[in-house]
Amino acid sequence: MLRVRTHTPRIDDLRWAKPAHQARSQRTLELLLDAAEAEIREKGYADASVAEIARRAGCSVGTVYRRFRDKTALLHALDERWGAAFRATMEDAVAPERWQGAPILEVLTGYIAFTLNEGHERAALQRAAITMASRDASFAERQMKLASELHAGLRALLTARIDEIGHADPPLAIEFALEQLRAMLMLRLATLPLEATLFGNSDEQFIDQALTSIAAYLKLEPLSA
Amino acid sequence: MLRVRTHTPRIDDLRWAKPAHQARSQRTLELLLDAAEAEIREKGYADASVAEIARRAGCSVGTVYRRFRDKTALLHALDERWGAAFRATMEDAVAPERWQGAPILEVLTGYIAFTLNEGHERAALQRAAITMASRDASFAERQMKLASELHAGLRALLTARIDEIGHADPPLAIEFALEQLRAMLMLRLATLPLEATLFGNSDEQFIDQALTSIAAYLKLEPLSA
DNA sequence: ATTATCTATAGATCTATAGATAATGC
DNA sequence: ATTATCTATAGATCTATAGATAATGC
């Protein structure tokens, strides 16, 4: 009689990590992901070595390959863990309830603060992820999906406040304003601390001018007219 | 009696390429830079190998090391060659004579067109240069210098047209507007063709909305009021 | 009995050099 | 005579695996 297996090879192929059958191996898997994150944060994807990741996790190279098919699978698993964490924070950040009664400028201030926070904390990781995206299409796809989910959430928040917008074509203006903000945020995060003078040294001045600019473009009008 | 040498070791240390004494070696040097450029364009800095560069240049690995101290020196030499070419084009692009009588919006249209052109042609090279900048400070410094030279040229052009600007603080507004444009251009170039939908598919629509936005921020007024 | 881990190492790169051979130009 | 080039290879990585040893849990 056939034994029913929890993980068939066909299904295993769809997971980055090989199945873990003992509590100990699950623990090792998480130690490895933590170690890989630290290693990549310091050296970037290209210079992260499996041996060093194993050393940081306190296990051997052989163990890494017991948990992951190859180095790429480990990187994918790590990237997905980041994605899940980011998605959770993001969904909370753009929840309509959170912004009940807030005008557009307040929503956008929140968006900017959220992004600068995430970015300052994860600058090295993000740079690494972008590098990986340029080499492997599935990294790029995962990142694009996250970006467009965030985008969709923001679009919904702004569309619900469409009567604040004086621009002749509000839907177009919303799209472009969001892209414009994204561009400014990416440049600011990418170049810090390298070119901290660009956009001014302080986040306050940056936020102030960015909002001024977006308000002028959207032709925002106070609700209580 | 001491022989006077054209290249002392002290001076050679300041050059990326070792001195060439025969016409043939000068030719080899250029072939190597061309080969390195092609190799990097295809694979990026990280995956470019010396052996493959030599093969493309039609010479041996040993010859590469006769012309360059090490792989890094070759990459530096290549980066400087790009820089020199970019600087020449740029200086021509922001020359005051070229823009005699043109209003701000026309100048900015020219800037955008120039950058999109350069970017589309050299997308892969630019991505590679950015990667290298994150690893080696002198690459970053060289890039920052070029960017700030371009910035200075544009600032001068806009400052000469300061009476078009209705913003309360024109110098601040000029700085921020230029950074904002730079951010939009970088995002558009970085993500093409990956996310061609962002900012719209056509350059025309992108340029149109970007200019609308900058004009609203600067509060541009027609000169002939 | 099965799963996890470690040790040791094969095998594939890739950078850089040593030493021999060929071309150049005062 | 000096400079340039090629061939061959040392030496340093780094990924991945084979085989032996240790821990886990039905």
Side-chain angles (χ1 to χ4, degrees):
Chain A
M1 186 183 162
L2 281 174
R3 167 133 180 258
V4 174
R5 297 182 48 154
T6 314
H7 301 277
T8 70
R10 185 179 291 274
I11 287 178
D12 292 348
D13 277 351
L14 299 178
R15 308 192 170 280
W16 301 118
K18 296 178 186 174
H21 298 90
Q22 295 181 9
R24 164 170 82 126
S25 60
Q26 183 62 36
R27 170 90 182 128
T28 299
L29 193 149
E30 276 150 27
L31 285 174
L32 281 171
L33 289 179
D34 292 343
E37 184 165 328
E39 170 82 350
I40 286 167
R41 192 191 287 270
E42 281 180 28
K43 302 189 187 165
Y45 268 104
D47 294 333
S49 94
V50 173
E52 179 62 16
I53 290 170
R55 200 196 56 76
R56 282 179 193 260
C59 70
S60 72
V61 172
T63 300
V64 176
Y65 286 91
R66 177 73 189 182
R67 291 273 67 78
F68 297 99
R69 186 187 320 282
D70 53 25
K71 190 184 173 187
T72 305
L74 191 161
L75 299 180
H76 276 291
L78 184 57
D79 198 50
E80 287 212 328
R81 196 174 72 160
W82 291 340
F86 180 84
R87 181 171 282 123
T89 316
M90 176 197 77
E91 281 173 357
D92 190 45
V94 298
E97 313 85 72
R98 173 185 279 272
W99 299 104
Q100 208 99 45
I104 285 183
L105 277 184
E106 200 179 322
V107 173
L108 293 182
T109 306
Y111 164 49
I112 294 174
F114 166 71
T115 309
L116 289 180
N117 248 353
E118 281 284 318
H120 285 149
E121 261 177 38
R122 298 165 182 277
L125 288 180
Q126 279 189 353
R127 244 193 301 276
I130 290 168
T131 305
M132 207 59 190
S134 71
R135 294 198 196 178
D136 185 323
S138 45
F139 281 82
E141 207 174 321
R142 222 177 282 129
Q143 281 170 34
M144 221 179 82
K145 200 152 173 244
L146 280 179
S148 72
E149 280 177 36
L150 175 57
H151 199 93
L154 291 166
R155 187 194 301 121
L157 289 173
L158 265 66
T159 303
R161 292 158 178 80
I162 206 162
D163 45 358
E164 286 185 54
I165 298 174
H167 189 286
D169 184 347
L172 171 70
I174 288 174
E175 291 307 314
F176 192 79
L178 289 177
E179 282 308 318
Q180 206 175 343
L181 257 181
R182 186 159 95 92
M184 289 192 270
L185 287 166
M186 282 188 66
L187 180 60
R188 185 162 179 84
L189 288 172
T191 57
L192 279 176
L194 194 66
E195 313 179 26
T197 49
L198 299 177
F199 273 143
N201 281 303
S202 74
D203 275 356
E204 286 70 27
Q205 188 181 356
F206 166 69
I207 294 175
D208 188 51
Q209 288 305 306
L211 290 175
T212 303
S213 169
I214 298 290
Y217 171 68
L218 292 176
K219 293 197 174 63
L220 292 188
E221 293 154 6
L223 266 180
S224 51
Chain B
M1 186 182 162
L2 282 173
R3 169 135 180 256
V4 174
R5 295 180 51 150
T6 315
H7 301 277
T8 70
R10 183 178 292 274
I11 288 179
D12 292 350
D13 278 351
L14 299 178
R15 308 193 169 280
W16 301 117
K18 296 178 184 172
H21 297 90
Q22 295 180 7
R24 155 171 91 125
S25 61
Q26 183 61 37
R27 170 87 183 133
T28 300
L29 194 149
E30 276 150 27
L31 285 174
L32 281 171
L33 289 178
D34 291 344
E37 184 164 329
E39 171 81 349
I40 286 167
R41 192 190 287 270
E42 280 180 31
K43 302 189 188 165
Y45 268 105
D47 295 333
S49 93
V50 174
E52 179 61 17
I53 290 171
R55 198 196 57 74
R56 282 178 193 260
C59 70
S60 73
V61 171
T63 299
V64 176
Y65 286 92
R66 176 74 188 181
R67 291 272 67 78
F68 298 99
R69 184 187 321 282
D70 52 27
K71 189 185 174 186
T72 306
L74 190 161
L75 299 180
H76 276 290
L78 184 57
D79 198 50
E80 287 212 328
R81 196 174 72 160
W82 291 340
F86 180 83
R87 180 171 282 124
T89 315
M90 177 198 75
E91 280 173 358
D92 189 44
V94 298
E97 313 85 71
R98 172 185 280 271
W99 299 103
Q100 207 100 45
I104 286 184
L105 277 184
E106 199 178 322
V107 172
L108 292 182
T109 307
Y111 164 48
I112 295 173
F114 166 70
T115 309
L116 289 180
N117 248 354
E118 281 284 317
H120 285 149
E121 261 177 39
R122 296 165 184 278
L125 288 180
Q126 278 189 351
R127 244 193 301 276
I130 288 168
T131 305
M132 206 60 192
S134 71
R135 295 198 194 175
D136 185 322
S138 44
F139 281 83
E141 207 175 320
R142 221 177 283 128
Q143 281 169 33
M144 221 180 81
K145 199 152 175 246
L146 280 179
S148 72
E149 281 178 33
L150 174 57
H151 199 93
L154 291 166
R155 188 194 301 122
L157 289 173
L158 266 66
T159 303
R161 291 158 178 79
I162 206 162
D163 45 358
E164 285 184 57
I165 299 175
H167 189 287
D169 184 346
L172 172 69
I174 288 173
E175 292 306 313
F176 193 79
L178 289 177
E179 282 308 316
Q180 206 176 342
L181 256 182
R182 187 159 94 94
M184 289 191 270
L185 288 166
M186 283 187 67
L187 181 61
R188 184 159 179 87
L189 288 173
T191 56
L192 279 175
L194 195 65
E195 313 177 27
T197 49
L198 299 176
F199 274 142
N201 281 304
S202 75
D203 275 355
E204 286 70 27
Q205 189 182 357
F206 165 71
I207 294 175
D208 188 51
Q209 289 304 307
L211 290 175
T212 303
S213 170
I214 297 289
Y217 170 69
L218 291 176
K219 295 197 175 60
L220 291 188
E221 294 155 4
L223 267 179
S224 50

